[in-house]
Amino acid sequence: MEDRRKIKTMDYKEAKRLAGDNDPKVRGAVASRTDVKPEILFFLAEDPSPEVRRTLAANLSVPGMADIVLARDSDEDVRTGLVEKIIRMAPDLSIDERGRLQDTAEEVLAILARDQIIRVRQVLSEALKDVAHAPPEVINALARDSQAVVACPVLKFSPVLTDADLLEIIASGPAQGGLGAISSRVSVSQDLSDAISATNDVDAIGELLANANAQIREQTLDDLIDRAPAHELWHAPLVRRPRISPVAAGRMALFLADNLLDALSSRDDLDGEALKAVKEVVRHRLGDKAEVTGHEAGYRMDFLNIDPPVGMAKSMNETGRLGHAVILKAIYAGDFAFILAALMVRSGLPLEVARGIFTSQSAKGIVSLAWKAGLPMNLALLLQQRMGRVPPEEVLGDQDKTAFPLNEDEMKWQLEFFTGHGN
């Protein structure tokens, strides 16, 4: 038998005789050969011995129809071996008219992509993830797999997936981690960024912001900045985005941690006015922390003596970004100059009136100003406590109630009083 296996070209009759031998080792030796007729190898695809079929699955000379049979084999190792062979042949799959898999490769791959065993599909996904001309139906099946180890490699790397494919996958809900894989692709279009941002997947959006090649519309980035105060994971990637608008930079300065504030103010792509506005916010925030510590840090009145950033507040309001969440974050950050500007812009009242209300430490005046600015009662309560220095026993409202403690006529009268007082 050893002598026969050394023959360079096996005689057909001899090969047929050995393929029917009772000894599986003899049949396995034939299954490993590259110099026998295709029909002999096809015959061995249904050999009763799993070992013979495993050997056959690894043989690069096996005809395509035999591979189709092996792709449905009951033995997991046979199917995995077939995938591993395809890995070695993957470069050939991208060249037309090359290789013996031309006619049957897609059918074999499609069968393996539906395999019940995760490991088989995982190995196939890893093999095809960066093959430029892999069959689209197969790649799409893998990308929609419910198992992350199968879906994520092609979602992250496959050039076969189009934006339309990816948008459909996002809409239908990919495997866990799939959104993050899409967010990390070498190229992410604006449409994909919009779709990922709309999912509220915190980790995936963090990956998107960290991807310098991801194209993000200014409006989408503005929306993410609005939501960012609640998601610290996004803060560092936001600061490092390749391009941010001056208004976006100013808004980010309201909630970033000190180390990120330094990074933001050190950017060299902001114009003079934008950089000045950012550094002003940074100066006030860091200045407040440096000069006052403890409980009193929230009760500084320095904001009454400086010019509030009205221009920034107007720009944010015009684009619909001067919302409750931004003001809430500014309250906790102690950026009272910005809040004063926000109250002026949202209420339409002049600076003198807003200053007069806070100078008098009037609980009724602050509540009325918050109402006029369209803010909810919980913010009116915080404005009294943290910004207005209203004594605890004089604070109006209850944190467990949403209704204002004054009626509309009373609040209008308060504002008219301070308007007349300001004049």
Side-chain angles (χ1 to χ4, degrees), residues 59-112:
N59 188 342
L60 297 176
S61 298
V62 172
M65 293 305 296
D67 277 343
I68 292 176
V69 174
L70 294 172
R72 296 188 175 97
D73 198 282
S74 61
D75 187 272
E76 176 184 340
D77 288 336
V78 171
R79 303 194 306 276
T80 304
L82 184 59
V83 174
E84 291 171 348
K85 175 173 68 178
I86 292 175
I87 292 175
R88 299 197 301 272
M89 301 183 69
D92 291 339
L93 297 179
S94 63
I95 302 174
D96 292 337
E97 304 296 332
R98 179 176 176 180
R100 58 170 188 77
L101 287 182
Q102 177 189 351
D103 297 328
T104 56
E106 289 194 23
E107 185 174 353
V108 172
L109 294 174
I111 294 169
L112 293 171

Side-chain angles (χ1 to χ4, degrees), residues 200-223:
N200 293 320
D201 186 314
V202 175
D203 291 337
I205 293 172
E207 293 283 352
L208 179 71
L209 291 170
N211 184 352
N213 294 322
Q215 302 298 312
I216 304 178
R217 289 186 176 90
E218 185 173 345
Q219 182 177 353
T220 303
L221 190 62
D222 285 342
D223 177 66

Side-chain angles (χ1 to χ4, degrees), residues 221-341:
L221 190 62
D222 285 342
D223 177 66
L224 292 176
I225 291 172
D226 279 349
R227 294 151 58 188
H231 305 297
E232 189 174 350
L233 177 68
W234 300 354
H235 295 184
L238 274 170
V239 172
R240 298 187 180 97
R241 285 299 303 168
R243 291 173 296 279
I244 55 176
S245 70
V247 172
R251 290 164 53 213
M252 288 161 56
L254 296 173
F255 58 79
L256 294 174
D258 293 354
N259 62 315
L260 295 177
L261 279 174
D262 290 339
L264 181 65
S265 60
S266 299
R267 289 182 64 112
D268 57 7
D269 60 343
L270 298 177
D271 60 36
E273 288 300 316
L275 190 58
K276 180 180 177 181
V278 169
K279 288 188 174 181
E280 186 69 9
V281 175
V282 172
R283 185 178 69 80
H284 286 298
R285 283 189 53 188
L286 299 183
D288 284 349
K289 293 178 181 180
E291 296 174 23
V292 182
T293 59
H295 181 67
E296 292 298 317
Y299 294 134
R300 295 186 56 81
M301 302 295 283
D302 289 354
F303 66 92
L304 296 174
N305 302 318
I306 63 174
D307 292 330
V310 178
M312 179 190 298
K314 283 183 177 179
S315 296
M316 293 173 64
N317 193 53
E318 288 169 359
T319 56
R321 306 302 171 184
L322 196 60
H324 300 171
V326 170
I327 294 174
L328 176 62
K329 188 65 180 182
I331 291 173
Y332 284 117
D335 192 0
F336 301 141
F338 170 77
I339 298 172
L340 190 65

